[in-house]
Amino acid sequence: MSKSSYSWPAMLAGVLSVSSRVVSDHSRHFLALSVLFLLPLSFIIIASPSLLPILMHHHQFLPPQSLLRDAPLSSTSPDFTRTLILASAAAALFLPIASAGAAAVTRSVIDGFYGRPVKILPNLRSLHIPVLHLLATVLSGFLIFSAIVALIVSLCLLLLFILSILDVESGSVPPYSFAAGIAAITIARFQLEWCLAGVVSVMESTWGFAPLKRSGELIDGMRLAAICLWVVFGAGIGFTLWGLGLWEIPSGGSWYDVMPVVGKTVLGSALTSLLLLYIIVTHAALYLYCKAVHGELLGEIVEEFASEYVTLPFDDNRVPHVVSVVLR
């Protein structure tokens, strides 16, 4: 049976079914991982729309004598430097936590799929190597993205230079808008091809550019399913942020005025962490389905349960119904 004969809606339904089954079978384990890793990230995401304007428009307290000078001091450079430092610090804090959470959840999904014991302490103790592999893979993808953006910017500048030589007004041709559109389409395309790179780097002990290539090979035939997952969960996070932004909170100093802020943050963080959890879980399940589509999963299941009863993976209390879907 060729890969084109598989129905991607049926595959997508299978991915969602496997994801729901794994999470429900080990709900306390995934709840603990969400509290450890995903809830802090969700809090940062929810609080960033309120914190960013304060941080970006921060002005230093000037001494009284500086206010008497004729030439006012420019605050553009300190604000830009402060923003750059804060962004770098946030990235340095965000990436390790996000990578650790993604690696822990991914390994738990795979263990739950094969019916292995899902325990949090052994998972956390052996997490350093997968996190390093995942960070190296993210850095490799970032380097490629940076090279693409730099190439597009260079072409845009070259186009502006040619237009200036030909005495053509740049307003008649929007090179920046055209370049931004090309960059967005290209990056979205690569993001689709590399959506399984994180799972590959965690589960196959590879890092750098190899997981990116491997992801492009696995996702062949399941791209529409991957797009649907990104649209659903991305829209969920976007609507959560948008809905909480429309929630007007009164300003004041009493506890009654602070409680809506606390409720808004807790509710938004919980919803966002749940969506982030299912993004990671569904991509781990999508990785398994992609391996099944390419004929790689059945051999692993046979090897995994070679010394046990052959029908164990298809027990009703187990997760691996993917083979029955793929080989149907």
Side-chain angles (χ1 to χ4, degrees):
M1 185 180 296
S2 62
K3 289 181 288 186
S4 61
S5 62
Y6 296 116
S7 173
W8 71 264
M11 295 293 179
L12 179 60
V15 167
L16 296 177
S17 176
V18 168
S19 302
S20 177
R21 190 182 296 269
V22 171
V23 174
S24 62
D25 288 347
H26 308 281
S27 56
R28 289 183 294 179
H29 176 82
F30 287 103
L31 177 61
L33 293 180
S34 299
V35 172
L36 283 176
F37 299 108
L38 303 181
L39 193 60
L41 298 180
S42 303
F43 176 79
I44 295 175
I45 294 174
I46 294 298
S48 59
S50 300
L51 295 178
L52 283 179
I54 298 176
L55 296 175
M56 293 184 66
H57 296 284
H58 175 79
H59 297 281
Q60 294 179 334
F61 291 99
L62 300 177
Q65 58 272 19
S66 64
L67 300 176
L68 300 178
R69 298 176 182 174
D70 294 334
L73 294 176
S74 175
S75 60
T76 302
S77 177
D79 287 346
F80 176 77
T81 304
R82 180 184 178 85
T83 303
L84 183 60
I85 293 175
L86 290 175
S88 302
L93 179 64
F94 180 87
L95 284 179
I97 297 177
S99 300
V105 172
T106 298
R107 295 180 59 173
S108 299
V109 171
I110 303 300
D111 290 339
F113 175 84
Y114 285 112
R116 304 167 187 159
V118 180
K119 298 181 180 180
I120 189 169
L121 290 181
N123 193 347
L124 296 179
R125 281 197 294 263
S126 59
L127 206 59
H128 55 285
I129 298 299
V131 169
L132 292 177
H133 290 170
L134 187 54
L135 287 175
T137 303
V138 171
L139 179 60
S140 301
F142 178 76
L143 291 177
I144 295 178
F145 282 152
S146 301
I148 293 173
V149 172
L151 177 61
I152 293 176
V153 170
S154 300
L155 293 177
C156 181
L157 294 177
L158 179 61
L159 177 60
L160 289 177
F161 177 73
I162 295 175
L163 291 178
S164 63
I165 294 177
L166 299 177
D167 293 332
V168 178
E169 294 183 359
S170 59
S172 60
V173 180
Y176 292 112
S177 301
F178 179 75
I182 296 297
I185 294 174
T186 305
I187 291 176
R189 174 64 178 178
F190 276 101
Q191 180 64 35
L192 175 62
E193 293 292 323
W194 298 343
C195 64
L196 298 179
V199 186
V200 172
S201 64
V202 171
M203 298 310 305
E204 299 185 6
S205 299
T206 58
W207 58 276
F209 299 103
L212 304 178
K213 181 181 178 181
R214 169 72 168 158
S215 175
E217 297 172 352
L218 285 176
I219 202 63
D220 185 23
M222 294 286 284
R223 291 185 177 88
L224 291 177
I227 292 174
C228 291
L229 292 178
W230 274 106
V231 169
V232 169
F233 293 111
I237 294 177
F239 277 117
T240 300
L241 297 176
W242 176 71
L244 294 177
L246 295 179
W247 188 355
E248 296 292 338
I249 297 179
S251 59
S254 64
W255 284 104
Y256 295 101
D257 297 325
V258 174
M259 289 304 296
V261 179
V262 176
K264 174 183 177 180
T265 304
V266 171
L267 177 61
S269 300
L271 290 176
T272 306
S273 61
L274 180 63
L275 291 171
L276 290 176
L277 172 65
Y278 271 94
I279 287 176
I280 302 172
V281 172
T282 52
H283 277 73
L286 180 64
Y287 165 77
L288 294 171
Y289 267 78
C290 289
K291 293 189 70 174
V293 168
H294 290 78
E296 302 178 9
L297 186 62
L298 184 58
E300 292 185 4
I301 290 182
V302 172
E303 182 181 357
E304 180 75 19
F305 297 96
S307 60
E308 302 182 20
Y309 189 58
V310 69
T311 59
L312 180 60
F314 304 97
D315 187 82
D316 289 336
N317 296 325
R318 299 295 180 180
V319 175
H321 292 273
V322 60
V323 177
S324 62
V325 174
V326 174
L327 299 182
R328 182 171 58 188

